[in-house]
Structures are given as C-alpha cells and as structure tokens.
Amino acid sequence: AQSVTQLDSHVSVSEGTPVLLRCNYSSSYSPSLFWYVQHPNKGLQLLLKYTSAATLVKGINGFEAEFKKSETSFHLTKPSAHMSDAAEYFCVLTNFGNEKLTFGTGTRLTIIP
Amino acid sequence: EAGVAQSPRYKIIEKRQSVAFWCNPISGHATLYWYQQILGQGPKLLIQFQNNGVVDDSQLPKDRFSAERLKGVDSTLKIQPAKLEDSAVYLCASSLWGYGYTFGSGTRLTVV
C-alpha cells in the first residue's frame, strides 16, 4: 500500500520569507513524487516531479523539493514567498508501472502582505 | 499542445436527477483518470482507464456512477441518481506511461 501525509493543513508566511511545505510518503516500491498547486477555481498545475534522478528537484516559480529516502520525505521549499503563491498544494505519489496517483490531503498556503 | 478538455465547467442539479461529464484527454495519452475532489479534501480516484479498458474502479460507487471510454479517446462519467454528497469537483486527467500527468480544469457539481 502507498500513502502520502502532508504534515500541515495550513501554512502562513509573510511575503518575502521562506516557504516550507512538508510531505512524508510510504511506498513499497521506488516512488515517483510530485507537487501540484491548485489556485482557487483553477485546475491542478504541476510544480515539479521526482522520478529517481537527481534528489534535488527544481520546479516552476522558484519552488524546489528534495527527495530524502532515509526520511521518506519530499518537502517543498521556496526561498522567498510571493503573494501569487497563495494556493492549495498537493503532494502526490505514484509507483512506476501502475500509474495510480495517491494524493495527500493538501496544504493551504497563505501569504501575509 | 492542447490540454485536457472538460465540460461543462459548472452544473447544478437537484438530488435524484442524473448528470454526465465529458473529458477529452491529450492526444496520444493512453491512461485516463476521473477524480472526485470534495471541498477541503484532496482528489480521490474514481476510475482509471488504460486505452478503453478499466484498470481500477475500486472506489467508484457503481450503484450510481458509471464511466466509459469508447475507442480509447474521450470519456464520459455519469451519475444517476445524484445525491447531495456527490457535490464536488470532478477532475479528469491523462498521462503517457506514468509521465506528464495533466489535469483538466474540472467540472464543479452542486446537488441541491
């Protein structure tokens, strides 16, 4: 069985400060991991993905995530938050071969002006 | 490249009525998914197709939900009869061998 746990349901940061959204996973096989962002009334947009290449993955809009197998984590970071980053973020897991996506429950990011 | 197309964008129906949603995936994507996203929750997989065959429908409430993907291209998801708890956003996604999952904008269903 595979699962994803997003450790914070809501994160608030001030504009210009760092962002950290935490994700832990459980998988019996080597996972592929993704971060998606969902702005209000919009579809899901892929931020970045890890597929067993480099453990530090860079995505769009200045986001990056580091795959740590020993900690079973895939935390999302950004050095400096922007107002436009306010959205819901989902950590997603899949195992190559079955193509089934398992979503975390989401983290709502609020940016304080 | 065109994205995943879904229609309608919004639908309001009364309970016990029926409703259908349509999805056209990215050309060449063999795998198509339907997800249900209830407000405040992450998307939950309803059904996964590989070409025109069903790979996983274990979480599809088959007494009221049905889905088909004729000719392995576009797909229709139907609910009959609808219940209040079916109010959600229904997302369609497609992928090519586990890479490049792309989601549509979704259909927001309100059952009153």
Side-chain angles (χ1 to χ4, degrees):
Chain A
Q2 56 189 45
S3 66
V4 176
T5 303
Q6 292 185 243
L7 299 168
D8 306 291
S9 60
H10 191 195
V11 170
S12 293
V13 301
S14 297
E15 188 176 18
T17 65
V19 174
L20 170 64
L21 305 183
R22 299 182 294 165
C23 172
N24 286 351
Y25 71 91
S26 174
S27 176
S28 301
Y29 305 96
S30 294
S32 292
L33 289 155
F34 307 79
W35 276 98
Y36 280 86
V37 60
Q38 188 175 38
H39 287 92
N41 299 314
K42 301 287 187 182
L44 288 156
Q45 180 185 18
L46 179 66
L47 277 179
L48 49 81
K49 61 183 178 183
Y50 165 77
T51 55
S52 75
T55 56
L56 182 62
V57 181
K58 293 187 184 299
I60 62 172
N61 300 335
F63 284 94
E64 63 181 36
E66 186 172 8
F67 175 74
K68 293 186 177 180
K69 186 175 180 179
S70 61
E71 299 177 9
T72 61
S73 69
F74 189 59
H75 301 336
L76 181 70
T77 60
K78 182 174 181 178
S80 177
H82 191 271
M83 293 301 295
S84 61
D85 296 328
E88 189 87 16
Y89 291 79
F90 292 97
C91 182
V92 184
L93 166 73
T94 188
N95 291 310
F96 183 77
N98 69 22
E99 300 188 62
K100 176 181 177 180
L101 296 177
T102 300
F103 280 78
T105 51
T107 298
R108 180 170 300 277
L109 177 63
T110 299
I111 311 298
I112 304 166
Chain B
E1 162 181 90
V4 175
Q6 288 189 248
S7 66
R9 285 298 309 275
Y10 305 93
K11 190 74 176 180
I12 301 174
I13 62 172
E14 295 181 349
K15 59 183 178 182
R16 292 187 289 274
Q17 285 187 324
S18 62
V19 65
F21 313 129
W22 175 81
C23 172
N24 189 26
I26 290 177
S27 178
H29 279 196
T31 310
L32 185 147
Y33 313 77
W34 284 102
Y35 284 85
Q36 180 192 57
Q37 186 178 17
I38 293 173
L39 185 65
Q41 300 181 17
K44 181 186 82 171
L45 178 68
L46 291 176
I47 189 166
Q48 177 182 344
F49 291 95
Q50 183 75 18
N51 296 309
N52 61 351
V54 176
V55 174
D56 184 350
D57 64 355
S58 58
Q59 297 201 77
L60 186 73
K62 298 180 184 65
D63 58 334
R64 299 184 300 105
F65 285 65
S66 64
E68 60 183 9
R69 191 184 184 195
L70 299 177
K71 301 181 182 178
V73 182
D74 55 350
S75 176
T76 302
L77 176 70
K78 297 179 181 178
I79 307 174
Q80 182 180 14
K83 293 185 175 182
L84 295 177
E85 59 260 36
D86 298 332
S87 294
V89 175
Y90 291 84
L91 295 165
C92 180
S94 68
S95 75
L96 181 63
W97 293 115
Y99 300 99
Y101 297 91
T102 303
F103 285 83
S105 297
T107 295
R108 182 178 298 276
L109 173 67
T110 303
V111 182
V112 299

